[in-house]
């Protein structure tokens, strides 16, 4: 089989369009995953603070159960099922969003249940003396988290969070199932129209390798700076 460079040149405009969509889904999905994962963690963790008030404990106890059910359900069902539910079922209830918006939210929601566990592990790795010092200084819970606990936990969680960023990147092709033309979607459409599969699929494979490698380098740099 002969490599056709003309097919590569013809495919490149479609590739750039798909790359833009892929990066949008990756960046926005990561932001949702990191933010929502932290929210899940705080809702599950706050009642165990040593200085929490009794009323706060009772209120958060009511929150922890539904949060636990939701996160377990999302973590133990396939991303594709969640994607189909959001895209095809929600419109029947009057909630309609664009395909890209639905895909970004689905990825962010799905991976937030995993980043939640990363945050939990990072927080639990903070020495108990830090909690005791915050209690001794009578720091409010919000200040304890923002100034004492989360900055120390962040240094420990960057590597595993980075792994999930790369996993999200590799899961973006699944958005093709709800008509989002990310990189692989563009390659599939081009191949079906021109009956040339080798060149566009190879270009996409190389692109995923390059993006993953650059993301890993960026995360290593960030990790080294945080450790200082």
């Amino acid at each position: 089989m002969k490599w056709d460079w003309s097919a590569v040149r013809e495919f490149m405009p479609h590739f750039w369009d798909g790359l833009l969509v892929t990066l949008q889904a990756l960046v926005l999905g990561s932001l949702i995953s990191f933010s929502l994962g932290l929210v899940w963690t705080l809702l599950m963790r706050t009642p165990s603070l040593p200085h929490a008030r009794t009323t706060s404990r009772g209120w958060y106890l009511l929150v922890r159960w539904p949060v636990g059910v939701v996160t377990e359900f999302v973590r133990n069902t396939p991303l594709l099922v969640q994607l189909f539910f959001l895209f095809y079922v929600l419109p029947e209830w009057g909630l309609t969003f664009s395909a890209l918006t639905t895909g970004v939210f689905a990825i962010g929601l799905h991976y937030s249940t995993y980043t939640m566990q990363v945050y939990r592990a990072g927080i639990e790795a903070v020495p108990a003396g830090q909690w005791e010092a915050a209690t001794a200084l009578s720091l409010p819970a919000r200040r304890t988290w923002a100034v004492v606990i989360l900055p120390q936990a962040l240094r420990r969680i960057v590597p595993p969070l980075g792994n999930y960023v790369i996993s999200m990147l590799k899961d973006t092709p699944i958005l093709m199932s709800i008509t989002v033309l990310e990189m692989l979607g563009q390659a599939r459409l081009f191949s079906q129209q021109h009956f040339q599969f080798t060149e566009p699929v190879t270009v996409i494979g190389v692109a995923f390798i390059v993006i993953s490698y650059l993301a890993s380098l960026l995360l290593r740099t960030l990790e080294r700076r945080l450790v200082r």
Side-chain angles (χ1 to χ4, degrees):
M1 181 179 295
K2 187 177 180 181
W3 182 265
D4 189 353
W5 285 106
S6 63
V8 175
R9 290 192 295 270
E10 189 175 355
F11 172 65
M12 288 312 293
H14 304 278
F15 166 75
W16 294 119
D17 291 340
L19 176 62
L20 179 60
V21 174
T22 296
L23 293 179
Q24 285 179 331
L26 175 62
V27 173
L28 296 177
S30 298
L31 291 176
I32 293 174
S33 173
F34 296 160
S35 302
L36 197 53
L38 181 58
V39 170
W40 298 143
T41 304
L42 295 178
L43 289 176
M44 294 292 288
R45 174 82 186 186
T46 301
S48 61
L49 285 175
H51 53 274
R53 299 177 181 176
T54 304
T55 54
S56 298
R57 289 175 183 269
W59 186 84
Y60 278 110
L61 188 60
L62 296 176
V63 174
R64 290 184 68 175
W65 185 83
V67 168
V69 170
V70 170
T71 54
E72 284 296 322
F73 176 81
V74 172
R75 185 165 53 245
N76 291 288
T77 53
L79 175 58
L80 184 60
V81 173
Q82 297 165 19
L83 196 61
F84 276 25
F85 180 86
L86 293 174
F87 189 69
Y88 293 109
V89 177
L90 287 187
E92 297 182 2
W93 298 350
L95 298 174
T96 303
F97 304 96
S98 68
L100 180 58
T101 300
T102 302
V104 166
F105 181 74
I107 290 177
L109 175 64
H110 184 78
Y111 276 94
S112 71
T113 60
Y114 294 97
T115 59
M116 166 189 172
Q117 299 301 324
V118 174
Y119 284 121
R120 180 189 60 78
I123 290 170
E124 290 181 353
V126 175
Q130 299 295 315
W131 295 97
E132 295 169 358
T135 303
L137 293 172
S138 299
L139 292 180
R142 183 178 301 177
R143 187 168 178 81
T144 298
W145 282 105
V147 178
V148 179
I149 304 303
L150 291 181
Q152 296 184 64
L154 184 62
R155 299 174 184 175
R156 298 174 170 86
I157 65 178
V158 169
L161 286 181
N163 292 336
Y164 283 123
V165 170
I166 295 175
S167 295
M168 280 186 268
L169 170 65
K170 292 188 291 186
D171 272 348
T172 53
I174 204 173
L175 302 185
M176 179 175 56
S177 62
I178 58 169
T179 73
V180 176
L181 290 178
E182 39 65 62
M183 288 195 297
L184 187 59
Q186 291 284 3
R188 180 186 180 189
L189 182 62
F190 180 87
S191 299
Q192 290 174 341
Q193 292 175 343
H194 297 81
F195 302 101
Q196 291 176 304
F197 293 88
T198 302
E199 293 81 5
V201 173
T202 302
V203 169
I204 296 305
V206 172
F208 273 108
I209 293 173
V210 171
I211 296 172
S212 298
Y213 180 70
L214 293 177
S216 64
L217 289 180
L218 178 62
L219 290 164
R220 288 175 193 170
T221 302
L222 178 60
E223 180 183 359
R224 285 195 297 267
R225 291 190 176 185
L226 288 173
V227 170
R228 291 178 183 174

